[in-house]
Amino acid sequence: MSNPSIAIHLPDGSVREVPQGTTPLEIANSISPRLAAASVVARLTPLVTETPKTADGQSAEGEEADSEAAMYAAENAAGPRLVDLTTPLTADTKLELVKENDPDALKVVRHSASHVLATAVLELFPETKLGHGPATDSGFFYDFYREKPFTPEDLAAIEKKMAEVVARDEKFERAYEPREQALAEFEKDGDFMKTHFVTRFTEPGAQVSFYRNGKFVDFCRGPHVPSTGRVKAVKVTKVAGAYWLGDEKNPQLQRIYGTAFFSQKEMDAHFVRLEEAAKRDHRLLGKQLDLFSIQELAGPGLIFWHPKGAIIRKVMEDWMREECLRRGYQLVYTPHVARVALWQTSGHEGFYAANMFTPMELDDAMYRMKPMNCPFHILIYKNSPKSYRDLPARYAELGNVYRYERSGTMHGLLRVRGFTQDDAHIFCMPSQIEGEVEACIDFAEAVLKTFGFNEFKVELSTWDPKDRAHYVGTDENWQLATQSLENVLKAKGIPYKTIPGEAAFYGPKIDVKLVDVLGRLWQLSTVQFDFTLPERFELEYIGEDGARHQPVMVHRALFGSVERFFGVLIEHYAGAFPLWLAPVQVGLVPISEKHMAYAAKVEAELKAAGLRIETDGRNEKMNAKIRDFANQKTPYILVFGDKEEAANSVSVRTRGKGDQGSIPLADFIAKAKALIASQSTEL
Ligand SMILES: [Zn+2]
Ligand SMILES: [Zn+2]
């Protein structure tokens, strides 16, 4: 019997009828052998999609390894998925051949590199037991159990052996084995970690998936690059201890980290970027510039803003509040805690409890710290009757929220347990949605531009109408909301990526990710529709028709978190803040003690002009004083002695430009004031 044929939809819109069992590689070869050689894996998207949903709109922050579950769990046939080029196709599907320049391909080559690493380790140290080896955002790791720790010499030998494995260009081949047989073999060999993974991530009676390259075999669901030779640049970076399953009563594993790329050139660029990023690390600069700290005694993930960080925050917040008022928002303040009853009404108690601080008991009830400000703003809206004339109502707050992050996951200012959202909630009529979204996008652009970011990326997360049960709100509302978001982005000519099925259950959203000076993406602003909270809290307004209607609610945050935005700012500017943000804008250096009187006069004039200054009156050499201000990345250093005093001038040293010579004090003040007023990033 010949195989029935299936329809393969290609990205150019063409459809190929091929026999069932045809592989992506065969299809690629039939198009062009060149395309086949350039492809790494294939991306299949079922023609009928059903995408799993996240329970809330919170996006995970920070860098995380692919979870074990993602590595081993049964393949989810619903969404787009990556498969080996040699996977037989069994049903009608969209097919995309993924080449090396696709970001997904990088993860595949990195995971393949982890197999190359394990291959090398077993060849050199056959007694080693294998854990697992996922790709991470910056590379890969593999967990090994061996009584003797790997020495630096061992790592060098492993790296050399890996080069051999790559040079052998072994094919990655997939095979299946009955689960019980696989378990018996792993148990016999004392492979306790593999036994655990197979037991945990496969079902009894199942066929278990393996990948072989040469003599090396690993329990894995793939996908992989076609052969080890495709791992063209690979490097072992470090080894660290890790307890098996994170429990210190368990044996200690050795986690070998590495990274891999499709070319040496990309790898070199990666290490240059890492070096540059390390110099800009906000935790390092935070200490060096005395901006903030995290105190062991107070607990992890809680930020202490020191005077120099606090003044920057004040400038950021002042700007934000003024802009809010200018743009028709009303400022509100709300408490940090509320009765659990409120969180039950809002749904947080049901959907979000794992991210909240545990409840505390007060005399009359249980209370919780707030993880979000929304329910509070809703209570303000609800406090008095509203008519269509009151809408849109825009409430803005720099609200402190507290969220439970697992210990060990905190990271400087970027991932914390207490932070400040520049949060606003807009209550409006459906007919006002588009105008409000447009205003939010304008505002987000203004934030990015003002704080010195020229590049950003926009994502539109929409629902999946085929998966109706996962969403609240009417079809009409969803269409209207999604359409308004799209209309605004199109009208403003903003390029964006639509991510279907990525909306939260309560509404579609726009995410704005800024691109920093090193090209890194940071998720900041979000504009999010919500059909559920107005319903849960029974919000209403009296329409023009005299009847009661339910308003639409928009959540929006532009900095996102003030702490996180500050962390990004520190790294973006490497601590050399623009004049308007710099904690000390001008450093004064009197050449000797006899110029202290003139220093007082200069100081008074600069202060009167609203500048933030610091005078170094120590009995130190002029050059030492200049160096200290320069180390603090002070934008301007003014030096003066007899000559300057006589001429009522100052000698100006500009950050990044050096000695600019003497100018009249009044001219300097006028220039500095103009730069500050225009929030200039230039000096
Ligand atoms: Zn694998
Ligand atoms: Zn909200």
Side-chain angles (χ1 to χ4, degrees):
M1 214 175 87
S2 74
N3 284 341
S5 69
I6 50 174
I8 306 300
H9 297 244
L10 297 171
D12 64 1
S14 67
V15 179
R16 287 184 181 229
E17 295 285 330
V18 298
Q20 199 176 43
T22 303
T23 67
L25 186 63
E26 287 162 347
I27 293 171
N29 260 315
S30 74
I31 298 170
S32 102
R34 246 216 172 119
L35 175 64
S39 300
V40 179
V41 283
R43 187 182 287 115
L44 304 184
T45 313
L47 296 174
V48 179
T49 57
E50 209 178 290
T51 317
K53 210 107 310 81
T54 49
D56 61 79
Q58 303 303 314
S59 60
E61 299 171 77
E63 177 174 306
E64 267 179 72
D66 283 357
S67 69
E68 282 157 21
M71 276 190 70
Y72 299 115
E75 284 161 7
N76 157 34
R81 63 191 175 112
L82 296 179
V83 299
D84 297 332
L85 291 174
T86 49
T87 303
L89 301 173
T90 54
D92 296 354
T93 182
K94 279 191 217 162
L95 166 72
E96 200 186 331
L97 293 157
V98 174
K99 294 196 224 154
E100 293 182 354
N101 57 7
D102 188 305
D104 284 343
L106 201 53
K107 286 217 152 180
V108 177
V109 79
R110 285 171 173 173
H111 172 61
S112 297
S114 86
H115 281 229
V116 170
L117 167 63
T119 308
V121 167
L122 282 197
E123 283 180 23
L124 292 168
F125 310 98
E127 75 284 7
T128 308
K129 299 297 172 213
L130 302 183
H132 74 154
T136 65
D137 280 352
S138 61
F140 63 88
F141 66 77
Y142 210 112
D143 282 339
F144 299 103
Y145 176 70
R146 182 171 169 258
E147 267 169 36
K148 268 174 69 184
F150 291 114
T151 63
E153 292 73 32
D154 293 341
L155 292 185
I158 290 168
E159 206 173 69
K160 218 169 135 213
K161 183 59 85 180
M162 288 171 77
E164 286 173 31
V165 179
V166 171
R168 296 202 298 253
D169 197 18
E170 295 163 352
K171 275 205 166 67
F172 280 106
E173 287 168 319
R174 192 172 193 175
Y176 296 87
E177 204 173 88
R179 178 183 193 254
E180 283 59 38
Q181 187 187 328
L183 278 175
E185 282 165 23
F186 281 137
E187 265 163 44
K188 190 181 86 209
D189 295 339
D191 271 313
F192 63 100
M193 295 182 279
K194 290 295 178 194
T195 307
H196 167 87
F197 289 131
V198 174
T199 311
R200 175 144 179 228
F201 294 109
T202 63
E203 297 292 327
Q207 290 285 314
V208 175
S209 162
F210 288 87
Y211 274 83
R212 175 193 303 279
N213 59 283
K215 292 196 196 79
F216 177 75
V217 179
D218 201 358
F219 165 57
C220 171
R221 55 168 277 216
H224 280 279
V225 296
S227 64
T228 59
R230 298 298 285 272
V231 185
K232 286 174 209 145
V234 60
K235 191 170 170 53
V236 168
T237 51
K238 65 172 177 183
V239 59
Y243 287 104
W244 167 234
L245 301 177
D247 186 340
E248 58 189 61
K249 287 190 233 74
N250 284 341
Q252 186 159 30
L253 309 179
Q254 299 185 62
R255 177 169 290 183
I256 298 183
Y257 290 88
T259 193
F261 288 89
F262 284 108
S263 77
Q264 188 61 39
K265 204 174 135 202
E266 284 169 305
M267 174 120 97
D268 292 345
H270 166 77
F271 282 103
V272 169
R273 259 193 326 269
L274 275 191
E275 226 171 86
E276 188 52 39
K279 273 189 259 164
R280 290 167 179 269
D281 189 321
H282 72 279
R283 295 166 299 178
L284 204 86
L285 287 166
K287 204 171 279 173
Q288 196 183 317
L289 304 176
D290 198 16
L291 301 173
F292 73 93
S293 64
I294 293 158
Q295 304 279 339
E296 188 53 41
L297 187 58
L302 303 169
I303 305 300
F304 289 76
W305 294 72
H306 296 196
K308 284 187 175 150
I311 197 76
I312 300 177
R313 175 169 172 163
K314 179 198 175 285
V315 177
M316 289 164 64
E317 292 192 349
D318 285 354
W319 181 87
M320 180 54 80
R321 288 201 176 94
E322 286 307 315
E323 276 301 304
C324 280
L325 292 173
R326 214 171 63 74
R327 291 169 187 262
Y329 287 80
Q330 295 169 294
L331 300 180
V332 297
Y333 293 88
T334 62
H336 288 215
V337 294
R339 284 193 181 134
V340 161
L342 175 67
W343 306 116
Q344 278 160 350
T345 305
S346 68
H348 286 86
E349 205 52 43
F351 292 113
Y352 206 68
N355 303 78
M356 293 166 78
F357 278 36
T358 42
M360 56 189 130
E361 193 172 355
L362 264 71
D363 39 18
D364 61 339
M366 302 299 281
Y367 286 73
R368 285 230 207 213
M369 307 291 285
K370 65 172 168 185
M372 295 186 201
N373 304 297
C374 342
F376 294 76
H377 294 185
I378 287 173
L379 293 183
I380 293 176
Y381 178 92
K382 226 176 127 72
N383 193 55
S384 59
K386 296 282 182 293
S387 90
Y388 66 95
R389 275 183 237 219
D390 301 313
L391 303 185
R394 310 181 189 96
Y395 298 147
E397 174 177 17
L398 286 150
N400 297 103
V401 297
Y402 295 87
R403 293 185 189 172
Y404 175 71
E405 296 281 354
R406 272 185 305 130
S407 78
T409 62
M410 262 69 72
H411 179 90
L413 294 167
L414 302 182
R415 194 159 179 156
V416 293
R417 282 181 173 166
F419 61 99
T420 314
Q421 283 183 307
D422 66 316
D423 208 358
H425 294 92
I426 300 165
F427 303 88
C428 66
M429 297 186 275
S431 62
Q432 295 169 322
I433 287 180
E434 210 159 305
E436 290 307 305
V437 172
E438 180 166 7
C440 286
I441 301 295
D442 274 343
F443 202 166
E445 281 186 308
V447 170
L448 296 180
K449 227 168 251 149
T450 304
F451 287 88
F453 301 96
N454 301 318
E455 214 188 313
F456 58 92
K457 300 220 155 99
V458 174
E459 287 175 2
L460 173 64
S461 298
T462 60
W463 73 337
D464 179 354
K466 291 185 202 80
D467 197 11
R468 195 64 191 79
H470 282 102
Y471 302 94
V472 300
T474 63
D475 285 24
E476 195 193 340
N477 269 343
W478 272 91
Q479 273 148 16
L480 182 67
T482 308
Q483 197 57 55
S484 346
L485 292 176
E486 268 179 354
N487 287 350
V488 170
L489 292 173
K490 282 194 183 125
K492 297 184 69 61
I494 297 174
Y496 63 96
K497 199 163 117 192
T498 303
I499 311 186
E502 266 301 296
F505 69 91
Y506 50 82
K509 63 170 177 172
I510 289 177
D511 284 327
V512 181
K513 299 183 171 183
L514 69 77
V515 183
D516 77 2
V517 74
L518 296 185
R520 297 173 299 182
L521 274 180
W522 302 90
Q523 160 71 50
L524 296 165
S525 313
T526 304
V527 181
Q528 163 98 58
F529 273 95
D530 191 335
F531 309 123
T532 154
L533 285 179
E535 203 172 299
R536 282 179 166 270
F537 282 91
E538 297 170 342
L539 298 187
E540 51 183 37
Y541 66 92
I542 307 296
E544 248 175 307
D545 55 2
R548 294 168 192 284
H549 299 274
Q550 191 178 289
V552 173
M553 181 175 172
V554 177
H555 310 245
R556 75 106 186 98
L558 304 177
F559 288 146
S561 136
V562 174
E563 283 75 7
R564 186 175 161 81
F565 192 80
F566 185 43
V568 175
L569 271 186
I570 296 172
E571 300 208 357
H572 181 63
Y573 287 114
F577 296 104
L579 188 64
W580 73 290
L581 289 170
V584 174
Q585 295 165 319
V586 187
L588 302 187
V589 177
I591 290 176
S592 77
E593 257 172 64
K594 64 180 175 145
H595 307 110
M596 285 307 286
Y598 183 58
K601 177 181 178 303
V602 174
E603 201 178 296
E605 286 192 33
L606 293 173
K607 271 192 180 156
L611 288 157
R612 295 187 288 273
I613 55 170
E614 210 173 86
T615 304
D616 191 341
R618 292 175 305 165
N619 193 12
E620 284 282 345
K621 290 226 161 56
M622 177 184 89
N623 281 338
K625 297 184 194 178
I626 292 175
R627 194 179 50 237
D628 285 353
F629 277 126
N631 284 341
Q632 288 295 301
K633 310 194 186 233
T634 312
Y636 290 112
I637 304 168
L638 304 184
V639 184
F640 38 83
D642 292 342
K643 198 179 81 180
E644 285 78 15
E645 186 169 349
N648 207 16
S649 69
V650 286
S651 173
V652 182
R653 274 156 184 82
T654 305
R655 187 181 63 205
K657 292 182 182 167
D659 193 345
Q660 306 289 296
S662 291
I663 60 167
L665 179 59
D667 291 3
F668 172 78
I669 291 175
K671 183 187 173 192
K673 278 175 80 172
L675 289 174
I676 290 168
S678 63
Q679 285 126 4
S680 170
T681 51
E682 303 290 320
L683 292 179

